[in-house]
């Protein structure tokens, strides 16, 4: 290989390396996160500004946030996945993995195995990200020691927490089941909401608070006790309250919440009739919500572990300063380049010396 060809190969390799680096992918991930944060902040501030400027009260729910945060979230997950791979996998393999991920996204979106576009895209994105994170954790545990090992594992624990939060938000908001039914006190409900049914066991009212105008108290509270049946079998009991506030002219309720291993159950009264003993109960079942809570705890644990590691080992150990596989390849390439240069210089010198003797 000539010097010119070797120089051209080196420049091409350097150009590829300069584009697909950890620094660039982290920057892209940060930009995606900032874009996502701006969209969320805009949605949170808009109702406040509308209230202040025009006195109009508006509510922005999932129908506003979901379509606007979809693209930044997709970009963020892709960038985080590439960040994991780019430091330990060759650029060509990273590009191939990215192309395969895009093809998987298109295929899943077309086939729609979960019959829900948001869930389909989330699973296609987050499962490869989980695999990449697991691969990176395995490499960190295998190859690094001391400060570098604990620091890397803490960072990856934060990454796992973020992925669990994203997956929990998408699944819980798109697969939740909510409905309402009217129940008669003392009778078993004849309508199931998914696998659950209710039986109102008692309903009792009381006055509470300071006297207000001609009334003896400022609020009127009705306590509703009920039994919960899961697949027609008794599961547990609960209670909620329906509150009428005379002073502010409002009615509001308390909510019964049961957090299980795979789902959360929310129950609240919508309306009631004390004369007939009927209660209109709202029931919402949110599956996979524990992924969200687990992700928050995992991320917090990773942050605490990272702070402890940084506090106890403020300086990087020698193992952290060792070059990565790609840096070692570049060093080998440079040494090879220098050897060829020296060989060519020797040939030139020997040619000149030979010409002088003639």
């Amino acid at each position: 290989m000539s010097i010119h060809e070797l120089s051209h190969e080196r420049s091409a390799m350097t150009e590829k390396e300069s584009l697909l680096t950890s620094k660039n992918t982290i920057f892209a991930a940060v930009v995606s996160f900032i874009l996502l944060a701006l969209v969320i902040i805009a949605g949170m501030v808009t109702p406040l500004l509308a209230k202040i400027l025009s006195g109009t009260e508006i509510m922005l729910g999932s129908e506003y946030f979901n379509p606007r945060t979809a693209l930044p979230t997709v970009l963020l997950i892709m960038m985080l996945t590439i960040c994991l791979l780019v430091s330990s996998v060759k650029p060509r393999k990273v590009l191939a993995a990215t192309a395969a991920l895009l093809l998987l996204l298109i295929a899943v979106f077309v086939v729609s195995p979960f019959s829900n576009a948001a869930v389909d895209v989330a699973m296609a994105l987050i499962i490869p990200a989980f695999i990449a994170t697991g691969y990176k954790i395995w490499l960190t545990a295998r190859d690094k020691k001391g400060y570098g090992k604990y620091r890397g594992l803490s960072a990856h624990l934060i990454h796992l927490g973020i992925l669990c939060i994203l997956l929990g938000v998408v699944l819980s908001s798109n697969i939740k089941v909510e409905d309402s039914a009217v129940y008669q006190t003392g009778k078993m409900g004849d309508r199931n909401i998914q696998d659950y049914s209710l039986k109102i066991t008692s309903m009792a009212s009381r006055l509470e608070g300071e006297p207000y105008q001609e009334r003896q108290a400022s609020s009127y509270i009705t306590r509703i006790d009920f039994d919960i049946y899961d697949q027609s079998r008794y599961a547990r009991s609960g209670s909620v309250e329906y509150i009428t506030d005379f002073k502010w002219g409002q009615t509001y309720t308390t909510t019964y919440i049961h957090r299980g291993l795979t789902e959360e159950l929310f129950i609240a009264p919508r309306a009631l009739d004390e004369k007939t003993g009927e209660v209109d109960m709202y029931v919402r079942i949110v599956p996979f919500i524990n992924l969200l809570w687990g992700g928050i705890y995992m991320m917090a644990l990773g942050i605490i572990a990272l702070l402890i590691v940084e506090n106890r080992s403020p300086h990087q150990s020698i193992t952290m300063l060792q070059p990565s596989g790609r840096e070692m390849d570049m060093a080998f390439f440079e040494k090879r380049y220098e050897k060829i240069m020296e060989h060519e210089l020797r040939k030139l010198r020997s040619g000149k010396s030979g010409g002088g003797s003639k």
Side-chain angles (χ1 to χ4, degrees):
M1 180 183 290
S2 66
I3 297 177
H4 177 72
E5 291 173 345
L6 189 61
S7 177
H8 179 71
E9 182 182 346
R10 182 183 181 187
S11 63
M13 184 176 178
T14 305
E15 183 179 357
K16 290 180 181 178
E17 292 286 338
S18 62
L19 293 176
L20 194 61
T21 61
S22 296
K23 183 178 180 180
N24 291 344
T25 52
I26 290 174
F27 175 75
V30 170
V31 170
S32 302
F33 180 77
I34 292 174
L35 181 60
L36 178 62
L38 289 175
V39 172
I40 295 174
I41 292 172
M44 296 173 64
V45 172
T46 299
L48 178 62
L49 293 177
K51 178 67 175 178
I52 294 173
L53 298 177
S54 63
T56 305
E57 292 188 3
I58 60 175
M59 294 290 292
L60 299 179
S62 58
E63 68 281 353
Y64 172 86
F65 287 99
N66 287 348
R68 288 169 176 80
T69 57
L71 183 58
T73 303
V74 169
L75 291 175
L76 177 60
I77 297 173
M78 290 188 66
M79 288 301 104
L80 289 175
T81 305
I82 294 173
C83 285
L84 289 171
L85 297 176
V86 74
S87 60
S88 54
V89 180
K90 293 181 179 179
R92 288 184 180 179
K93 291 184 177 180
V94 174
L95 292 174
T98 305
L101 184 58
L102 290 174
L103 291 175
L104 177 63
L105 276 175
I106 296 172
V108 168
F109 186 78
V110 173
V111 177
S112 188
F114 298 98
S115 301
N116 186 299
V119 176
D120 293 333
V121 173
M123 297 300 286
L125 279 171
I126 296 178
I127 288 178
F130 271 117
I131 295 173
T133 305
Y135 174 70
K136 194 67 178 180
I137 290 174
W138 177 70
L139 288 180
T140 302
R142 186 193 66 178
D143 299 336
K144 294 187 178 182
K145 297 179 180 179
Y147 168 83
K149 181 178 181 178
Y150 298 124
R151 185 177 185 274
L153 292 176
S154 301
H156 297 320
L157 186 62
I158 296 172
H159 196 178
L160 279 178
I162 294 173
L163 292 176
C164 287
I165 291 171
L166 291 173
L167 188 59
V169 168
V170 172
L171 293 180
S172 61
S173 61
N174 287 276
I175 309 181
K176 66 181 179 182
V177 178
E178 52 186 346
D179 202 349
S180 62
V182 177
Y183 296 93
Q184 181 75 38
T185 302
K187 295 182 179 180
M188 184 68 183
D190 56 359
R191 179 179 177 186
N192 290 349
I193 299 176
Q194 204 167 25
D195 294 329
Y196 293 99
S197 184
L198 303 180
K199 178 182 179 181
I200 307 298
T201 56
S202 65
M203 186 165 51
S205 300
R206 69 184 187 274
L207 291 170
E208 192 171 283
E210 297 294 330
Y212 176 71
Q213 295 179 353
E214 74 281 0
R215 300 181 185 274
Q216 298 179 4
S218 59
S219 61
Y220 184 78
I221 302 174
T222 302
R223 176 188 170 97
I224 304 158
D225 297 313
F226 53 86
D227 292 335
I228 303 172
Y229 291 82
D230 186 357
Q231 295 181 350
S232 301
R233 292 177 296 182
Y234 172 80
R236 63 192 67 89
S237 298
S239 64
V240 291
E241 292 183 341
Y242 189 89
I243 305 167
T244 302
D245 194 308
F246 302 127
K247 184 176 181 180
W248 300 105
Q250 295 179 341
T251 59
Y252 51 94
T253 70
T254 61
T255 304
Y256 168 85
I257 303 175
H258 174 73
R259 294 184 172 91
L261 183 61
T262 59
E263 63 185 18
E264 284 190 354
L265 176 65
F266 298 81
I267 301 175
R270 297 180 59 190
L272 58 86
D273 188 337
E274 289 188 76
K275 294 181 180 180
T276 61
E278 292 181 341
V279 184
D280 186 355
M281 299 290 275
Y282 167 78
V283 180
R284 184 176 69 206
I285 303 163
V286 185
F288 303 107
I289 192 69
N290 284 336
L291 281 173
L292 173 61
W293 301 119
I296 293 174
Y297 297 142
M298 195 180 299
M299 187 172 66
L301 182 62
I303 292 172
I304 294 171
L306 188 59
L307 290 174
I308 293 173
V309 170
E310 292 289 349
N311 185 43
R312 291 189 175 182
S313 304
H315 302 292
Q316 293 184 354
S317 63
I318 298 175
T319 57
M320 287 291 291
L321 299 177
Q322 291 180 351
S324 63
R326 189 179 304 169
E327 291 172 346
M328 293 176 66
D329 291 341
M330 288 297 296
F332 174 78
F333 192 93
E334 289 173 356
K335 288 180 180 179
R336 180 184 174 194
Y337 181 80
E338 290 173 0
K339 287 182 180 180
I340 293 176
M341 286 288 292
E342 290 176 1
H343 178 70
E344 293 293 332
L345 287 172
R346 288 197 201 97
K347 286 173 62 178
L348 289 173
R349 287 173 185 170
S350 62
K352 287 180 180 181
S353 60
S357 63
K358 291 179 182 178

